[in-house]
Amino acid sequence: MSVTSRYREAWESFWREAPGEQGAVFWDAEPALTAGPHLALFDAHLADPGLPMVDLGCGNGTQTRFLADRFRHVLGADLSAAALDHARQADPAGQATYRLFDAGEKSEAETLHAELGDANVYMRGVLHQAESDDRQPMVDGIATLVGERGRVFLVELSESAKPVLMGLAQHPTGPPPKLAPIFRHGIAPGEVADDAMPEYLRAAGLTVLASGELPLVTTEYGPDGTRIELPSKWVVAGRTA
């Protein structure tokens, strides 16, 4: 089961319009505030740090390049060709490799696993953007990539993030400039129940090894001048003997 053409085209149009510089997109915060803290949590649960690392939903590759400084083989994967164009342009030295990839398509996940072997997977704030019917197939695809030895670190908006986003979108002066394109391109965030992510993982045959809460830092600022941070939950999962 692959993503809908409407969903894919929404992301293509978003990334075709997005500026090229780092930080110009709502969620494109510097790694010191995003993948850095996440990796500090993920490291303790990696059964094999030498496995390839897949940054799933890599977008323009800001976090991918951070991961490539710390792991031997890093692959940035995204379903938007325009996003991958940004990622490759920002990585002229080829620190990482990049691939067009639909995690919800079983055959694509199986093909990538056959090429890489078991992998560790990092995915930040992607699941809530998927159509509800695509979420379990996406997590099933992650489980295929993880295999027997890999681990996955998922970060997802908490239920309490949606009213924050809606409040920003409906502000009398309009949504913040970096949030507006998300709604304009029809990729307004959905809602994933707080207890749904562990259930998706269990249904895919993975065991939750650790979990917690952290703010998801954005690049945008509210009307009061403070940086917008959205409540989020994180989970580490993998197969256990």
Side-chain angles (χ1 to χ4, degrees):
M1 180 179 184
S2 62
V3 297
T4 64
S5 58
R6 184 210 62 78
Y7 177 73
R8 186 187 297 272
E9 181 51 39
W11 279 108
E12 281 296 325
S13 63
F14 173 86
W15 281 111
R16 283 196 297 265
E17 181 184 291
E21 65 269 18
Q22 192 270 319
V25 171
F26 182 70
W27 54 80
D28 193 29
E30 53 269 40
L33 301 175
T34 48
H38 295 155
L39 188 57
L41 296 165
F42 197 12
D43 269 342
H45 301 283
L46 291 175
D48 186 347
L51 295 178
M53 177 69 74
V54 177
D55 181 12
L56 189 52
C58 69
N60 62 358
T62 297
Q63 315 308 318
T64 319
R65 295 188 297 278
F66 173 85
L67 294 170
D69 284 336
R70 288 151 181 83
F71 295 94
R72 177 179 56 84
H73 181 189
V74 175
L75 171 70
D78 204 283
L79 59 80
S80 166
L84 295 175
D85 287 343
H86 281 290
R88 292 186 180 103
Q89 289 168 11
D91 186 10
Q95 286 181 277
T97 56
Y98 302 93
R99 184 184 185 113
L100 194 66
F101 180 68
D102 176 359
E105 181 58 58
K106 183 179 179 181
S107 63
E108 291 194 30
E110 291 173 342
T111 297
L112 184 54
H113 181 261
E115 294 175 13
L116 296 178
D118 291 355
N120 295 313
V121 177
Y122 173 69
M123 189 169 85
R124 177 177 67 107
V126 174
L127 200 61
H128 74 277
Q129 294 285 5
E131 303 284 354
S132 58
D133 288 345
D134 291 336
R135 291 171 186 165
Q136 186 64 59
M138 180 181 290
V139 178
D140 291 345
I142 291 171
T144 297
L145 296 180
V146 164
E148 297 300 322
R149 296 179 297 142
R151 297 288 186 263
V152 56
F153 188 94
L154 296 181
V155 184
E156 193 50 61
L157 296 182
S158 303
E159 289 179 36
S160 55
K162 188 170 183 180
V164 176
L165 285 166
M166 294 302 103
L168 291 167
Q170 296 165 6
H171 193 272
T173 60
K178 295 179 186 177
L179 185 59
I182 299 173
F183 291 96
R184 186 169 67 252
H185 287 280
I187 48 178
E191 182 176 335
V192 178
D194 288 345
D195 59 356
M197 189 159 59
E199 290 304 317
Y200 288 134
L201 290 163
R202 292 186 186 104
L206 301 179
T207 300
V208 173
L209 305 173
S211 61
E213 299 183 7
L214 276 179
L216 193 74
V217 179
T218 76
T219 62
E220 189 57 280
Y221 295 81
D224 61 355
T226 60
R227 190 192 285 254
I228 296 170
E229 297 184 357
L230 302 172
S232 73
K233 294 183 176 292
W234 60 268
V235 173
V236 178
R239 288 189 173 84
T240 55

